[in-house]
Amino acid sequence: MFYAIMATDKVDSLSARLAARPDHLARLQTLQNEGRLLLDAADPGSAGFSGSLVVAEFASLEQAQAWADADPYVAAGVYQQVTVKPFKRVFPA
């Protein structure tokens, strides 16, 4: 099943985000290589970062939550809040 991992950044966390970004992207690349990554939010450019959205396949909500809890952005203190919920892909079919 797919799960949406939605995170909101803390105020003034950009420097911590940028420092942890290579490790965060490496984890996403692993999901991509395993064929489990449905989507990841793109770099917002001049709009600035405000959080993250990852939709990926996990065997259970507990596994999705564990993956989210182990994110380098969590360890770096980037996120204010992280929510993990089941995600149903409707379109495109």
Side-chain angles (χ1 to χ4, degrees):
M1 169 170 241
F2 287 107
Y3 292 89
I5 300 168
M6 303 163 286
T8 304
D9 287 5
K10 292 178 181 175
V11 175
D12 296 325
S13 62
L14 182 59
S15 62
R17 172 183 270 276
L18 295 176
R21 189 165 172 76
D23 292 335
H24 172 78
L25 293 178
R27 295 179 82 231
L28 293 174
Q29 186 62 56
T30 298
L31 288 176
Q32 176 69 26
N33 293 346
E34 294 170 351
R36 297 171 45 208
L37 183 64
L38 181 62
L39 66 91
D40 173 41
D43 185 326
S46 63
F49 287 100
S50 62
S52 298
L53 170 64
V54 174
V55 179
E57 188 173 25
F58 294 92
S60 67
L61 177 61
E62 293 77 18
Q63 286 186 8
Q65 185 67 60
W67 190 90
D69 291 344
D71 194 288
Y73 286 162
V74 172
V78 172
Y79 293 146
Q80 172 181 318
Q81 179 180 1
V82 178
T83 304
V84 181
K85 294 184 177 187
F87 180 89
K88 179 177 172 67
R89 180 179 177 176
V90 177
F91 292 105

